[in-house]
Amino acid sequence: MQSRIAYKDIYDYGRLEKAAKRLHLEETEETEIGLLNLHNHLVWHSYVPGKDPAADAILSSVIAELLEEYNLDASCVPAEFRDIASSVVERR
């Protein structure tokens, strides 16, 4: 069993794409650009919550999926995402 969520799991493009589909975001060029931008910001550690509601929802969905998949709590998420993870755990 994994005890921490790896940063690379959070910015995995496949996970981001699946999260967008789970959220029923329309598959448009704009959505694809948004996913690419989110991925790049996550890779470069420049993601700022609150700037893009769709990106926030996608990231929140990915974190929720990882927490559930590995049966972890918010303290197992990289520090910069703990606020998001805490809100996800509260909603579960």
Side-chain angles (χ1 to χ4, degrees):
M1 182 167 126
Q2 189 168 334
S3 63
R4 298 197 78 55
I5 293 175
Y7 194 84
K8 67 181 179 135
D9 288 338
I10 293 173
Y11 70 74
D12 176 82
Y13 192 80
R15 280 190 191 273
L16 296 172
E17 237 177 359
K18 281 192 255 176
K21 287 180 182 175
R22 269 194 313 275
L23 294 168
H24 305 290
L25 296 179
E26 198 173 332
E27 292 184 36
T28 63
E29 185 176 340
E30 184 179 332
T31 302
E32 187 70 24
I33 290 169
L35 277 172
L36 289 169
N37 283 334
L38 173 59
H39 179 260
N40 287 334
H41 281 293
L42 292 170
V43 167
W44 292 104
H45 298 263
S46 61
Y47 174 75
V48 178
K51 282 190 164 186
D52 179 357
D56 291 346
I58 291 167
L59 182 57
S60 180
S61 179
V62 166
I63 290 172
E65 175 189 33
L66 288 165
L67 290 173
E68 189 172 315
E69 182 177 324
Y70 296 119
N71 195 28
L72 299 173
D73 61 32
S75 68
C76 299
V77 175
E80 63 196 274
F81 302 119
R82 294 237 173 91
D83 286 344
I84 295 169
S86 293
S87 68
V88 166
V89 170
E90 288 173 9
R91 285 183 268 151
R92 281 206 282 182

